[in-house]
Amino acid sequence: MDRLDNTIRPYAWGSPTALPDLLGVAPTGEPQAEMWMGAHPGAPSRTPRGTLVEVIEAAPERELGPRTVEKFGPRLPFLLKILAAGAPLSLQVHPDLAQAREGYADEERRGVPLDAPHRNYKDANHKPELICALTEFDGLCGFRAPAAAADLLAALDVDSLAPYVDLLRARPEEAALREVLTAILTADPDEMAHTVTAAAAACDRLGGDQAPYAAIAHHYPGDPGVLAAMLLNHVRLQPGEALFLGAGIPHAYLSGLGVEIMANSDNVLRCGLTPKHVDVPELLRVVRFEPGDPGVLRPEAAPDGEEVYATPIDEFRLSRHVLPEGAAPHDLTLPTPQILLCTAGTVHAGDHTLTPGDSVFVPAYEKAQVTGPGTLFRATVVV
């Protein structure tokens, strides 16, 4: 197995302290948003044998295993991250596989440059993802019931919100959510900024359930995404709890430290809380206007002590091992590629000693024995 040397992405929304605290290093004073572990071409992990992209390209079946190559092609189909949100990320959705293929092909036909700011589809893949909290973690996930959203908006007592409240109470659920989100995103920008400012002031005054939206508005004053966020479920994960975010589910991470895993794609359609391009027609084509519970996941215990975060897709499988001190070595050998990430304590993986933030890549069929005491996240695929 290979120890990974990983890139930390300094996105503006990143926390300046959360990742350094986990890694036991001094903060730089700059935001540190994401540590990437995998073979994403934008920032592949480095190994003693070269980048993980180079290692896999040199011998795909040896590194990934024949079943993984047969199912996903000669590439690692997932990207593992540690995500440290110090400010809200953009409100966004991801396409399903058919939508991604169609959208990518269409933009290729029209000659839209891959780096164009208005480009929606960077590749032809979908991007389901899972976030598992390492600290208390706040986010938004999926639509709340329209009646509950109407109550939340009505409590602000802002006259310009009354038409949205009426729509949410009068129309069938999916139609109500579609019409209100469309109205928010297509309203006159100056009028919307005034409404958002008034709504934010009311959220700040009321506190309670409204407090998260006041905090969002502090980071994105006047942004219509503040009102769009109020249509969504606010979720506070405790350490060890997770959210699965499938295609078409609007979501945003607000604050906290977590382990994130996703299919290896860059396809994002934004709804707000960002200065970046918002393609409203394409967004409305992709969003699933289905209210419901956000579905907080807790790990399911397997007989060997593995705790699995069950999801309905095959590009990734995330699990956790809490390894006690003095226990016999635990065998994690699989016929699929793995990334092992330590998040607490000290874990011995083969010849490697891992402390929080350290990770290794384990090729398919490579012997992988681990001991603690520590907590280890394991990322692999389903074949």
Side-chain angles (χ1 to χ4, degrees), residues 128-202:
E129 60 190 42
L130 176 81
I131 183 78
C132 178
L134 294 177
T135 65
E136 193 169 75
F137 194 98
D138 274 24
L140 304 169
C141 180
F143 288 106
R144 64 173 79 226
D151 291 344
L152 197 68
L153 293 174
L156 302 181
D157 196 24
V158 174
D159 289 344
S160 51
L161 292 178
Y164 304 146
V165 173
D166 292 343
L167 275 172
L168 289 166
R169 288 178 172 162
R171 301 282 285 140
E173 287 192 330
E174 292 188 20
L177 293 169
R178 177 180 288 275
E179 290 179 32
V180 171
L181 183 63
T182 303
I184 289 170
L185 297 180
T186 57
D188 177 84
D190 292 334
E191 292 179 6
M192 177 53 63
H194 179 77
T195 297
V196 171
T197 300

Side-chain angles (χ1 to χ4, degrees), residues 71-325:
K71 188 166 186 175
F72 301 108
R75 61 185 184 87
L76 189 68
F78 64 82
L79 177 64
L80 184 67
K81 301 179 180 180
I82 300 177
L83 182 146
L89 282 67
S90 62
L91 191 61
Q92 59 189 254
V93 297
H94 305 303
D96 63 26
L97 190 56
Q99 290 165 339
R101 288 172 174 169
E102 180 182 348
Y104 180 78
D106 174 65
E107 291 185 322
E108 288 290 281
R109 278 195 302 270
R110 291 190 285 117
V112 181
L114 271 176
D115 59 354
H118 62 286
R119 174 104 186 198
N120 292 317
Y121 296 96
K122 308 294 187 184
D123 52 68
N125 199 16
H126 62 165
K127 194 187 178 195
E129 60 190 42
L130 176 81
I131 183 78
C132 178
L134 294 177
T135 65
E136 193 169 75
F137 194 98
D138 274 24
L140 304 169
C141 180
F143 288 106
R144 64 173 79 226
D151 291 344
L152 197 68
L153 293 174
L156 302 181
D157 196 24
V158 174
D159 289 344
S160 51
L161 292 178
Y164 304 146
V165 173
D166 292 343
L167 275 172
L168 289 166
R169 288 178 172 162
R171 301 282 285 140
E173 287 192 330
E174 292 188 20
L177 293 169
R178 177 180 288 275
E179 290 179 32
V180 171
L181 183 63
T182 303
I184 289 170
L185 297 180
T186 57
D188 177 84
D190 292 334
E191 292 179 6
M192 177 53 63
H194 179 77
T195 297
V196 171
T197 300
C203 288
D204 196 37
R205 183 180 69 252
L206 292 169
D209 290 344
Q210 313 281 7
Y213 309 101
I216 293 170
H218 172 75
H219 291 284
Y220 298 98
D223 192 304
V226 175
L227 296 185
M230 298 187 76
L231 302 177
L232 307 185
N233 297 297
H234 174 246
V235 185
R236 178 163 292 163
L237 301 177
Q238 297 304 311
E241 294 180 336
L243 287 173
F244 173 70
L245 301 155
I249 305 300
H251 62 278
Y253 302 145
L254 304 181
S255 65
L257 184 72
V259 174
E260 185 183 35
I261 190 168
M262 62 187 63
N264 212 346
S265 170
D266 291 323
N267 287 327
V268 174
L269 291 158
R270 294 176 176 85
C271 318
L273 309 183
T274 178
K276 295 182 179 180
H277 177 62
V278 176
D279 184 335
V280 176
E282 187 64 13
L283 175 71
L284 296 175
R285 186 178 80 90
V286 168
V287 170
R288 295 181 180 177
F289 291 95
E290 301 169 359
D293 185 274
V296 174
L297 293 176
R298 295 171 182 86
E300 301 174 3
D304 62 354
E306 185 179 30
E307 299 173 327
V308 180
Y309 293 91
T311 66
I313 52 92
D314 294 342
E315 280 88 346
F316 61 77
R317 177 184 184 274
L318 186 71
S319 61
R320 182 179 68 174
H321 289 266
V322 180
L323 302 165
E325 186 170 10

